Every structure is written in C-alpha cells, then in structure tokens.
Amino acid sequence: MTTSPISRFPVPDLATLPPDISERIQAVQEKSGFVPNVFLVLAHRPDEFRAFFAYHDALMEKPGTLTKAEREMIVVATSNANSCQYCVIAHGAILRIRAKDPLVADQVAVNYRKADITPRQKAMLDFAMKVSQASHLVGPADYEALAVHGFDAEDAWDIAAISAFFGMSNRMANATDMRPNAEFYAMGR
C-alpha cells in the first residue's frame, strides 16, 4: 500500500502552529485518537482555519430542531453530489456514529432517496440538494415542502447554511487534494 500526501499544499508541523490552533488539534486528537487531516490541511492558513471552524461549529454543534445525525446526513448527501471523497468518508463515519446505524451513511451517500430514512429526512435532503446544486431555483414551493414535514424558516436556514458551507468545504478539499484518514473507514461499523 502506498501512502499519498494528505494535501498538495504544505502541511505545518503541530509544534509550529499558533497555540490556539495547536490546542484545538490536540483536543480533537485526544477525543478521536487521531488528527483528522482536515485540521492539518487547513492549518496551512491559520486565520482561515479559525474562520472555517468557527462557522463549522456554529452550524454543526448548536442546539436546534435538526439532530446532529441529520446535520451529518446533509453533509454526506451534498458532499457526494459535489464528488468530495474526504467529506463523504469523514462525515459518513460521523453519521454512522451519531445515527447509531452502520448502513445509513453509505445509503445516504449513494442515493438518499432509497435510503432507510424518514420522509421528513428525505424532504430535508431534497432541499439541501437543491441549495447545493441549483440554489438559484429555490423558491416558495421548496419552503412549503419543508413546512409539510414540520420544518420552520429557521430550520430551512440551517439546512441551507449547512449545504452551502459544505459546498465551499467540498471545493477546498478537492482543490487541496485532501485525503481521508484511514481511521474513518472503520468508524461506526
């Protein structure tokens, strides 16, 4: 087995990073047992690292109607549509853990319309995919379709923001040639 670099850009040494970034990376390593490559790749630009993870946390860690597993479903489905290997693999692992289901991430990544998820979750992903792939076509009917399943305007904002943020993340992961950590493949199975 050959080992590919995790990025086409320089990956900083943890000892050379600003203390706040180094501490964050060490905390993730203590919790997960490894350092997800996204942290190392984005640490190439410390100010952008901080902005990225601040917005990531604001979207993915806040309380709200969407469960943490549903937020990960949005990431997995839209990342697949954007051909982002890193995010499908990494967030697929997180989805398996948060949903406590070893099959759901693969189903959602390949074809969420046939996945073993609820009609409410399919409506959520329909909206997320439209934001991801054709946001210029989003209109009142899309919000009405969400409302039928109990999503309000704030939920729609959350779905759209997660989809849009990970569209940017997918593009950066692809442009940097970010590689998923081997550890992700077995997580939650």
Side-chain angles (χ1 to χ4, degrees):
M1 180 170 116
T2 60
T3 303
S4 299
I6 66 168
S7 175
R8 71 177 63 246
F9 292 90
V11 176
D13 183 277
L14 287 175
T16 66
L17 291 172
D20 63 314
I21 294 175
S22 179
E23 289 168 15
R24 174 151 189 168
I25 291 173
Q26 289 172 0
V28 168
Q29 183 177 25
E30 286 174 19
K31 184 176 180 182
S32 65
F34 66 100
V35 178
N37 289 341
V38 66
F39 288 89
L40 299 172
V41 172
L42 294 182
H44 174 66
R45 296 223 175 149
D47 290 340
E48 293 169 35
F49 175 102
R50 290 179 188 101
F52 179 93
F53 283 107
Y55 195 41
H56 171 277
D57 294 351
L59 294 172
M60 301 299 286
E61 301 298 329
K62 73 178 199 160
T65 305
L66 299 178
T67 68
K68 287 185 177 188
E70 288 171 335
R71 292 169 197 271
E72 295 297 338
M73 280 183 197
I74 295 167
V75 178
V76 172
T78 58
S79 294
N80 181 57
N82 292 324
S83 299
C84 183
Q85 180 188 54
Y86 184 89
C87 291
V88 169
I89 301 301
H91 289 275
I94 298 167
L95 173 54
R96 287 190 299 273
I97 291 166
R98 291 197 166 158
K100 296 176 179 59
D101 182 344
L103 306 178
V104 68
D106 294 340
Q107 292 177 354
V108 168
V110 173
N111 185 349
Y112 73 89
R113 290 174 187 91
K114 293 184 178 187
D116 295 323
I117 59 176
T118 68
R120 176 182 178 276
Q121 291 166 335
K122 287 178 184 171
M124 172 190 76
L125 293 178
D126 285 340
F127 184 73
M129 291 295 286
K130 193 165 188 180
V131 169
S132 173
Q133 303 299 301
S135 61
H136 62 288
L137 298 176
V138 172
D142 299 300
Y143 291 91
E144 291 166 12
L146 286 175
V148 167
H149 292 280
F151 293 109
D152 65 17
E154 294 302 314
D155 298 327
W157 180 290
D158 288 343
I159 296 165
I162 293 166
S163 178
F165 175 78
F166 278 94
M168 182 273 299
S169 178
N170 298 158
R171 286 158 181 78
M172 285 304 296
N174 282 330
T176 61
D177 198 23
M178 192 181 302
R179 307 290 300 175
N181 302 67
E183 291 90 343
F184 284 126
Y185 290 92
M187 289 172 61
R189 297 213 189 256

